[in-house]
C-alpha cells in the first residue's frame, strides 16, 4: 500500500515535481536503488497529490474514476475538520486499491519509485500496534513489485527491469514485517520471499542476499514450524558461499533454532549436532575487555527446549547433560552460566514425561533453583511465572490422568508462591492462569469428595480478587464450567444442586460470554447431571432454556431428557412428546441433526408408556429414520439397537385380540427380516426379543416352527447365552425347549452346551437361570 498523507509522509522534492506536473518527469534510477529517507524534506498537500493521480490514472483506467472520486471526497472531509490521520489512511487504502486494480505492466516508472519509497516509510512506522496492517501492506507492495518484474522480463524491457529489480533491502523490510506479526503463516510467507530473492539472484546475478536477509530467512523458517523447515535451513547455510558470505554465530543460532523447533523425530538430536559444530567454529569466550564472543547461551537454551519437547525417552537426560556441559564450558567465567530460561527448559523436560517421577523431579529442580536464588539473592536466578506454571500444569495433567495426590501438590505449590510473594522473597505472586491451573487439577481429580469443593473455593478466591479490582482474575467461563462439571461427576446426591448454585453465582459473568460453545457445554453438563439424578423435570427445563437462548442443544441433550423420563416408575408420555416435538422443531430450523440414539430412546419411551398400536408406531419411526438417512443425515441411520427396540416394542404389545397380535407379529417379522437383509450383525438381544415376539402367535405348530427357526439361527451364529435361554423358556413348552437345548432334565448349564452355540456369549460362572431378570439385558 502506498502512503500519501498530509502529516505522516514527507516526499522528496523530486517526487513533488512528479505529482505537480502530472507524472511528466521520468527520473533515471540504477538497479536496486531506492529514494533515501534523508531526501524527504517537504510536506505535500494530499489533495493536490490525489488530483494529480486522478488526472493521470483515470485517463489510463476509466474504471477507477468512481473510486478515486470517493477518496477525494474523504480527503475533503478531512480538510473540513475531520481527523487528518483517518483521511490519510483512506488515501493510502485507495492508492493500494489503485495499484491492485491496475493491470500488470501498467504502473508508471514514477509510481514504481513512489511504491518503493513508501515501503521504506512503512518499515519506519512499523510498531506493535499496527504490525499486522503494515505487514499486509508491505506484502501487497512487494508482490506487485515482483509481478512487474516478471512482466518486464517476459517483454524483454531491460531498462524497466533495471528500474523495478527489487533490492535486498526491499526483501528484508518485507520479511521482517511478516516475521514481526508472530504468525506461523506469515513466517512461511517471509521465508518464501527469500527464496524468490534467491531465484532472482540465480537468474540475473542481481539483488544478492545479505547476511541480514539470510538471518531473517532462517528466523522465519524457525518460526514457521513447517515440516521440512530444518532441512531448508541447513541447505540455506550450506549455500552461504554462493552469496560470498561466511557463517556467523548468529547464523548458527538461527539454524539451531530451526532444527530444534521442527519437532519432527530426532530434531533435538540434530540441533545438538549443529551446536557441537558451531562450538568448534565459534567457541564461547570472553576477552580481556569483557566482551563475549562465539556461540551465545541462546543457542544452548534452544537445544535445551528442543530436548524438553522431544518424545525421546532420554530427552531429560540429554537436557540435564547439556546443562552440565554449559556449566563446565562456563567455568565461572559468566559466558554460559545457565539462566532461568535454561533451568526452565530442564524443568519442562521433566514435566513433559507426564509421570509422577517426572513431576517430582521437575518440582525438585524448581526448588533447587528457588533455593539458590533465595540464598544468593541473585535476581537473575529468580524463577519466573512460566517456571512455576510448567510444574503446576504437570500436576494438573497428572490429576486428570488419575493420580490421587496430584491436585493437592498443585495447590501446595500455588500456596507456596503466595507465601513467598507475601513475605517479599518473590517479586510476583500467582496470576490468574496459575489459579485456574490449580482449579483444573482439583476439578479433574478422581478425588470426588474434595475435588469439587476445593475447585469451587479457588474459583471463589479468583472472584474475590476480581471484585477487589484485579480484572485479570475475573473467573472465566472455562473455569466456571470446570467446577460445574466437577460437581456433576462427583456422584453426590446433592451434586446437581451444587452445580446449579455455582451457575447461579456466576450467571452474570456467563451472560457476558460471547462464546456460545462454552455456555452450551455448561448447560449440557447441568442437563446431564439432572438426568443422571433422575430429575427429568429439571433437565427438561434446562433443555428448554437452551433452545430459547439459541444454544443449539445436540441430539444427546434431547436423548438424555427422554431417557430420564423413561427411567421414572410412571412415565409421563406427555412430557416425552413435548421433548420429541421440541427436537423436531429444532431440526426443522436447522439447529441440529437428530441421531439414531434419540429416536431409539423415543421408541423405548413409547414402549414403557404402553401406547396403543405400539408395534406399528415403532415401525413408522423406524421408516422415518431410514428416510432421513437417505436424505443425507447419516447419523440417524437405524442400527441394531433401533431394530432391537422395535422388536421389544412388538413383544410388549400383547393384546387379547388375536388379529391385533397377528398384525403386530407381522411388524416384528418385517423388522427381523429387514435387519437380516441389510447385513446388520444380529446379537443375543435380537434373538431373545424375537423369541418373545413368538408370544404374539397362538400356541401350536406355527409358533413352534418360528421358535425352532430362530433357535437354529441363533445357535449356528453362536449367540446362545443365559438371557436367550430365559426368553426361550418364556414362550416355549418345557418339553419343546428341552428338546431344542438337548437337556432332558434339570437346569440348563451353558458350559455344557455345544461350543459353537455359545462362542459369542458372555462367560458366566455359577449363575443359575432363575436368578436372571429382564433388566439384566
Amino acid at each position: 500500500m502506498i502512503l500519501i498523507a498530509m502529516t505522516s509522509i514527507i516526499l522528496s522534492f523530486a517526487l513533488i515535481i512528479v505529482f505537480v506536473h502530472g507524472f511528466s518527469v521520468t527520473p533515471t534510477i540504477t538497479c536496486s536503488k531506492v529514494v533515501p529517507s534523508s531526501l524527504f524534506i517537504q510536506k505535500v498537500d494530499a489533495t493536490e497529490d490525489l488530483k494529480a493521480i486522478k488526472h493521470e490514472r483515470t485517463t489510463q483506467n476509466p474504471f477507477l474514476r468512481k473510486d478515486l472520486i470517493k477518496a477525494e471526497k474523504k480527503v475533503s472531509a478531512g480538510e473540513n475538520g475531520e481527523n487528518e490521520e483517518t483521511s490519510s489512511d483512506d488515501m493510502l487504502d485507495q492508492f493500494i486499491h489503485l495499484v491492485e486494480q491496475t493491470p500488470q505492466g501498467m504502473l508508471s516508472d514514477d509510481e514504481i519509485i513512489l511504491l518503493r519509497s513508501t515501503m521504506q516509510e512503512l518499515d519506519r512506522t512499523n510498531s506493535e500496534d499496527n504490525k499486522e496492517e503494515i505487514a499486509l501492506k508491505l506484502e501487497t507492495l512487494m508482490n506487485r513489485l515482483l509481478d512487474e518484474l516478471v512482466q518486464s522480463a517476459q517483454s524483454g524491457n531491460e531498462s524497466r527491469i533495471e528500474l523495478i529489480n527489487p533490492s535486498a533491502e526491499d526483501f528484508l523490510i518485507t520479511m521482517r514485517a511478516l516475521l514481526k506479526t508472530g504468525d506461523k503463516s506469515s513466517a512461511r510467507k517471509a521465508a518464501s520471499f527469500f527464496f524468490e530473492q534467491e531465484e532472482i539472484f540465480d537468474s540475473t546475478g542481481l539483488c544478492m542476499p545479505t547476511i541480514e536477509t539470510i538471518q531473517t530467512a532462517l528466523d522465519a523458517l524457525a518460526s514457521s514450524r513447517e515440516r521440512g523447515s530444518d532441512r531448508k535451513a541447513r541447505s540455506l547455510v550450506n549455500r552461504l558461499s554462493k552469496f560470498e558470505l561466511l557463517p556467523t554465530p548468529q547464523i548458527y543460532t538461527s539454524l539451531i533454532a530451526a532444527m530444534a523447533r521442527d519437532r519432527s523425530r530426532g530434531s533435538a538430536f540434530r540441533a545438538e549436532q549443529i551446536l557441537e559444530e558451531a562450538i568448534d567454529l565459534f567457541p564461547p569466550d570472553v576477552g580481556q575487555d569483557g566482551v563475549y564472543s562465539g556461540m551465545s547461551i541462546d543457542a544452548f537454551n534452544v537445544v535445551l527446549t528442543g530436548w524438553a519437547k522431544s518424545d525421546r525417552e532420554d530427552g531429560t537426560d540429554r537436557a540435564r547433560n547439556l546443562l552440565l556441559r554449559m556449566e563446565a564450558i562456563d567455568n565461572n567465567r559468566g559466558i554460559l552460566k545457565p539462566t532461568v530460561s535454561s533451568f526452565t527448559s530442564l524443568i519442562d523436560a521433566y514435566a513433559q514425561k507426564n509421570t509422577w517421577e517426572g513431576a517430582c523431579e521437575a518440582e525438585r529442580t524448581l526448588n533447587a533453583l528457588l533455593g539458590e536464588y533465595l540464598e544468593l539473592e541473585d535476581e537473575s536466578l529468580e524463577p519466573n511465572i512460566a517456571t512455576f506454571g510448567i510444574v503446576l500444569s504437570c500436576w494438573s495433567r497428572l490429576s486428570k490422568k488419575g493420580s490421587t495426590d496430584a491436585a493437592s501438590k498443585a495447590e501446595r505449590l500455588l500456596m507456596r508462591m503466595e507465601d513467598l510473594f507475601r513475605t517479599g522473597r518473590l517479586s510476583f505472586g500467582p496470576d490468574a492462569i496459575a489459579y485456574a491451573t490449580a482449579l483444573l487439577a482439583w476439578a479433574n481429580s478422581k478425588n470426588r469428595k474434595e475435588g469439587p469443593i476445593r475447585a469451587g473455593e479457588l474459583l471463589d478466591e479468583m472472584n474475590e480478587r476480581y471484585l477487589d479490582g484485579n480484572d485479570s482474575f475475573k473467573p472465566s467461563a472455562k473455569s466456571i464450567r470446570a467446577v460445574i462439571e466437577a460437581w456433576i461427576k462427583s456422584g453426590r446426591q446433592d451434586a446437581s444442586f451444587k452445580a446449579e448454585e455455582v451457575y447461579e453465582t456466576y450467571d452474570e459473568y456467563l451472560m457476558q460470554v460471547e462464546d456460545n460453545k462454552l455456555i452450551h457445554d455448561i448447560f449440557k453438563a447441568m442437563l446431564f447431571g439432572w438426568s443422571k439424578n433422575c430429575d427429568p423435570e429439571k433437565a427438561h427445563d434446562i433443555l428448554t432454556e437452551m433452545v430459547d437462548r439459541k444454544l443449539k442443544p445436540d441430539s444427546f441433550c434431547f436423548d438424555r431428557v427422554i431417557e430420564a423420563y423413561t427411567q421414572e416408575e410412571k412415565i409421563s408420555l406427555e412430557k416425552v412428546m413435548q421433548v420429541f416435538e421440541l427436537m423436531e422443531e429444532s431440526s426443522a430450523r436447522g439447529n441440529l441433526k437428530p441421531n439414531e440414539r434419540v429416536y431409539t430412546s423415543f421408541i423405548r419411551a413409547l414402549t414403557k408408556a404402553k401406547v396403543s398400536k405400539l408395534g406399528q408406531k415403532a415401525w413408522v419411526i423406524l421408516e422415518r429414520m431410514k428416510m432421513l438417512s437417505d436424505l443425507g443425515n447419516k447419523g440417524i441411520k437405524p442400527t441394531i439397537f433401533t431394530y432391537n427396540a422395535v422388536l421389544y416394542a412388538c413383544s410388549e404389545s400383547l393384546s387379547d385380540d388375536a388379529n391385533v397380535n397377528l398384525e403386530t407379529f407381522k411388524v416384528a417379522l418385517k423388522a427381523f427380516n429387514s435387519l437380516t437383509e441389510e447385513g446388520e450383525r444380529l446379537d443375543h438381544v435380537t434373538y431373545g426379543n424375537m423369541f418373545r415376539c413368538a408370544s404374539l402367535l397362538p400356541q401350536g405348530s406355527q409358533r413352534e416352527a418360528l421358535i425352532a427357526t430362530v433357535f437354529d439361527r441363533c445357535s449356528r451364529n453362536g449367540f446362545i447365552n443365559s438371557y436367550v435361554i430365559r426368553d426361550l423358556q418364556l414362550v416355549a413348552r418345557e418339553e419343546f425347549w428341552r428338546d431344542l437345548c438337548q437337556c432332558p432334565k434339570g437346569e440348563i448349564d451353558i458350559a455344557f452346551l455345544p461350543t459353537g452355540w455359545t462362542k459369542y456369549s458372555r462367560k458366566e460362572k455359577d449363575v443359575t437361570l432363575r436368578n436372571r431378570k429382564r433388566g439384566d439385558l
Side-chain angles (χ1 to χ4, degrees):
M1 298 181 181
I2 301 177
L3 188 55
I4 307 174
M6 295 179 65
T7 57
S8 63
I9 290 193
I10 304 174
L11 296 174
S12 68
F13 180 75
L15 292 179
I16 296 172
I17 295 174
V18 169
F19 277 116
V20 171
H21 293 281
F23 300 97
S24 60
V25 177
T26 305
T28 303
I29 183 168
T30 59
C31 177
S32 302
K33 181 177 179 181
V34 295
V35 180
S37 57
S38 60
L39 294 179
F40 291 6
I41 58 175
Q42 185 173 351
K43 293 183 180 180
V44 180
D45 187 291
T47 306
E48 291 302 316
D49 292 342
L50 182 61
K51 288 178 179 178
I53 297 169
K54 176 183 174 183
H55 173 74
E56 179 72 16
R57 302 308 291 140
T58 53
T59 302
Q60 298 178 13
N61 298 285
F63 61 87
L64 294 175
R65 185 187 313 275
K66 182 178 179 181
D67 291 333
L68 288 168
I69 292 174
K70 186 187 299 183
E72 183 179 5
K73 288 180 179 179
K74 290 183 178 179
V75 175
S76 299
E79 292 174 346
N80 292 329
E82 289 186 9
N83 190 306
E84 290 185 358
E85 184 178 349
T86 301
S87 59
S88 299
D89 289 340
D90 289 338
M91 294 183 66
L92 174 60
D93 293 340
Q94 183 58 39
F95 197 83
I96 287 186
H97 180 64
L98 183 148
V99 170
E100 291 176 327
Q101 293 296 321
T102 302
Q104 190 171 310
M106 291 290 292
L107 287 179
S108 70
D109 291 354
D110 303 305
E111 290 168 326
I112 294 293
I113 295 170
L114 183 57
L115 183 153
R116 301 178 74 175
S117 300
T118 303
M119 289 179 66
Q120 286 191 323
E121 182 65 13
L122 286 170
D123 180 51
R124 187 186 68 79
T125 60
N126 199 351
S127 68
E128 283 299 315
D129 294 334
N130 65 353
K131 59 186 178 182
E132 287 83 8
E133 181 184 358
I134 293 294
L136 179 60
K137 291 175 180 178
L138 282 170
E139 180 189 358
T140 300
L141 294 178
M142 191 68 204
N143 278 326
R144 184 52 192 266
L145 204 59
L146 293 172
D147 289 342
E148 291 293 318
L149 181 65
V150 170
Q151 195 278 336
S152 300
Q154 291 174 345
S155 63
N157 189 338
E158 294 185 5
S159 62
R160 187 165 173 84
I161 291 174
E162 186 178 357
L163 171 68
I164 295 172
N165 191 50
S167 67
E169 183 70 12
D170 294 330
F171 280 101
L172 183 60
I173 62 177
T174 304
M175 291 164 61
R176 281 178 175 171
L178 288 165
L179 197 56
K180 188 175 182 178
T181 66
D183 180 64
K184 291 180 184 178
S185 62
S186 295
R188 291 167 190 154
K189 291 177 182 177
S192 68
F193 270 121
F194 170 78
F195 294 123
E196 289 196 62
Q197 179 184 3
E198 184 178 14
E199 187 177 342
I200 293 172
F201 173 73
D202 290 341
S203 59
T204 67
L206 301 173
C207 196
M208 179 187 290
T210 63
I211 198 72
E212 291 85 2
T213 314
I214 292 172
Q215 176 86 49
T216 305
L218 288 170
D219 290 339
L221 288 169
S223 299
S224 71
R225 306 290 176 90
E226 190 174 24
R227 180 173 289 277
S229 58
D230 58 333
R231 294 190 298 274
K232 292 178 182 177
R234 177 81 239 201
S235 175
L236 175 53
V237 172
N238 290 339
R239 299 197 302 275
L240 282 174
S241 59
K242 181 174 75 171
F243 311 124
E244 302 176 7
L245 296 171
L246 294 173
T248 64
Q250 293 75 25
I251 287 289
Y252 264 100
T253 299
S254 295
L255 172 61
I256 291 166
M259 302 291 284
R261 292 174 183 167
D262 179 64
R263 298 288 188 267
S264 62
R265 189 171 184 81
S267 60
F269 178 77
R270 292 190 293 272
E272 188 166 1
Q273 284 184 317
I274 299 297
L275 177 62
E276 295 294 339
E277 178 184 316
I279 292 172
D280 290 340
L281 289 172
F282 307 103
D285 201 359
V286 59
Q288 292 182 350
D289 56 0
V291 176
Y292 296 126
S293 62
M295 297 303 297
S296 71
I297 194 170
D298 293 338
F300 288 81
N301 284 343
V302 165
V303 178
L304 278 171
T305 302
W307 281 121
K309 303 299 183 183
S310 72
D311 56 358
R312 285 180 49 150
E313 290 185 5
D314 62 345
T316 51
D317 293 335
R318 299 296 293 256
R320 184 174 57 248
N321 291 339
L322 182 57
L323 197 66
L324 293 173
R325 185 163 183 221
M326 290 168 65
E327 292 176 338
I329 294 174
D330 180 71
N331 196 22
N332 295 319
R333 294 182 295 167
I335 53 175
L336 283 182
K337 179 184 177 182
T339 62
V340 170
S341 177
S342 308
F343 284 106
T344 298
S345 293
L346 179 59
I347 290 168
D348 194 23
Y350 286 120
Q352 290 297 326
K353 282 188 166 184
N354 288 323
T355 62
W356 186 268
E357 294 76 16
C360 290
E361 195 62 44
E363 187 157 351
R364 275 195 290 270
T365 306
L366 170 61
N367 289 336
L369 175 62
L370 192 58
E372 190 171 356
Y373 158 67
L374 294 173
E375 181 181 350
L376 301 177
E377 297 183 352
D378 183 352
E379 291 184 1
S380 68
L381 292 176
E382 182 183 27
N384 53 43
I385 191 68
T387 314
F388 282 94
I390 288 170
V391 182
L392 279 169
S393 295
C394 183
W395 287 124
S396 185
R397 291 194 299 271
L398 288 176
S399 179
K400 190 173 184 178
K401 289 175 65 176
S403 297
T404 307
D405 200 36
S408 59
K409 287 273 192 182
E411 188 173 7
R412 278 198 290 271
L413 181 57
L414 183 77
M415 293 301 105
R416 188 181 182 199
M417 291 175 68
E418 285 283 15
D419 181 64
L420 289 169
F421 175 62
R422 188 168 49 252
T423 55
R425 291 178 290 170
L426 203 62
S427 64
F428 59 88
D431 59 8
I433 295 175
Y435 264 88
T437 303
L439 182 155
L440 285 175
W442 277 116
N444 294 322
S445 172
K446 303 304 179 187
N447 184 343
R448 305 301 193 198
K449 182 178 180 181
E450 289 187 83
I453 297 174
R454 296 298 305 126
E457 289 174 350
L458 289 172
L459 181 66
D460 291 340
E461 175 64 24
M462 293 176 70
N463 189 42
E464 286 297 321
R465 296 189 179 205
Y466 169 66
L467 295 175
D468 286 342
N470 191 336
D471 290 345
S472 68
F473 273 87
K474 182 178 181 180
S476 69
K478 288 184 179 179
S479 296
I480 297 168
R481 179 184 67 181
V483 176
I484 288 173
E485 290 179 346
W487 278 114
I488 297 300
K489 292 184 292 186
S490 69
R492 290 174 37 160
Q493 287 187 343
D494 62 346
S496 294
F497 291 99
K498 292 290 186 181
E500 196 154 296
E501 282 179 11
V502 175
Y503 172 77
E504 290 173 354
T505 301
Y506 295 99
D507 182 37
E508 183 180 345
Y509 298 157
L510 295 175
M511 292 292 287
Q512 301 168 17
V513 175
E514 295 181 359
D515 186 352
N516 271 358
K517 176 64 169 61
L518 275 173
I519 306 303
H520 168 276
D521 290 347
I522 290 172
F523 272 83
K524 186 175 180 177
M526 293 193 296
L527 184 151
F528 278 25
W530 287 118
S531 299
K532 187 177 180 181
N533 289 337
C534 298
D535 193 334
E537 294 282 354
K538 285 277 192 180
H540 194 168
D541 289 343
I542 292 174
L543 178 67
T544 303
E545 187 172 354
M546 290 179 75
V547 173
D548 291 343
R549 292 178 61 166
K550 298 181 180 179
L551 295 177
K552 298 182 179 180
D554 56 26
S555 289
F556 293 104
C557 294
F558 289 94
D559 175 61
R560 284 299 182 92
V561 179
I562 291 174
E563 281 191 352
Y565 276 121
T566 307
Q567 295 295 325
E568 288 192 305
E569 184 175 349
K570 186 176 181 181
I571 187 171
S572 172
L573 182 59
E574 180 183 357
K575 296 291 187 180
V576 171
M577 292 301 298
Q578 288 176 4
V579 175
F580 190 78
E581 288 169 4
L582 186 62
M583 182 199 69
E584 292 279 79
E585 291 171 6
S586 296
S587 176
R589 288 194 294 267
N591 291 333
L592 87 157
K593 284 188 175 182
N595 61 16
E596 166 272 331
R597 181 167 176 165
V598 67
Y599 271 82
T600 301
S601 292
F602 185 56
I603 293 173
R604 291 177 181 141
L606 295 179
T607 304
K608 177 76 176 286
K610 299 285 187 182
V611 298
S612 62
K613 297 186 177 180
L614 174 59
Q616 287 81 353
K617 289 177 179 177
W619 178 256
V620 169
I621 295 171
L622 180 70
E623 287 291 288
R624 176 169 170 74
M625 293 170 70
K626 289 181 180 180
M627 180 194 71
L628 293 174
S629 175
D630 292 340
L631 290 175
N633 183 1
K634 301 305 179 184
I636 203 171
K637 182 180 180 181
T639 65
I640 184 65
F641 301 105
T642 314
Y643 282 99
N644 286 343
V646 173
L647 289 173
Y648 185 66
C650 291
S651 71
E652 292 292 296
S653 301
L654 192 62
S655 168
D656 294 333
D657 189 329
N659 292 327
V660 172
N661 288 338
L662 182 59
E663 291 301 317
T664 304
F665 175 75
K666 290 178 180 178
V667 171
L669 193 60
K670 189 161 46 174
F672 186 82
N673 290 334
S674 295
L675 188 58
T676 306
E677 291 166 3
E678 291 178 12
E680 287 281 352
R681 181 180 174 183
L682 283 61
D683 59 17
H684 74 278
V685 178
T686 313
Y687 290 112
N689 285 340
M690 200 58 200
F691 279 136
R692 291 170 62 87
C693 287
S695 62
L696 296 167
L697 297 175
Q699 287 285 0
S701 59
Q702 189 180 24
R703 180 169 177 169
E704 293 190 348
L706 171 70
I707 293 172
T709 301
V710 174
F711 185 87
D712 178 63
R713 179 175 291 185
C714 182
S715 60
R716 282 191 290 107
N717 290 325
F719 284 107
I720 297 293
N721 63 18
S722 56
Y723 302 122
V724 172
I725 296 297
R726 178 201 59 196
D727 292 331
L728 170 64
Q729 291 174 328
L730 289 174
V731 296
R733 295 180 296 106
E734 181 176 352
E735 182 182 357
F736 186 53
W737 63 254
R738 286 190 179 280
D739 182 53
L740 289 173
C741 297
Q742 301 175 11
C743 177
K745 60 181 180 179
E747 294 181 352
I748 298 176
D749 190 337
I750 300 296
F752 288 98
L753 293 177
T755 306
W757 287 12
T758 60
K759 60 183 177 182
Y760 291 118
S761 64
R762 300 173 184 175
K763 294 181 179 179
E764 303 169 22
K765 295 181 180 180
D766 303 324
V767 180
T768 59
L769 292 176
R770 60 173 171 267
N771 291 329
R772 295 294 186 181
K773 297 179 181 178
R774 185 65 193 171
D776 292 332
L777 278 178

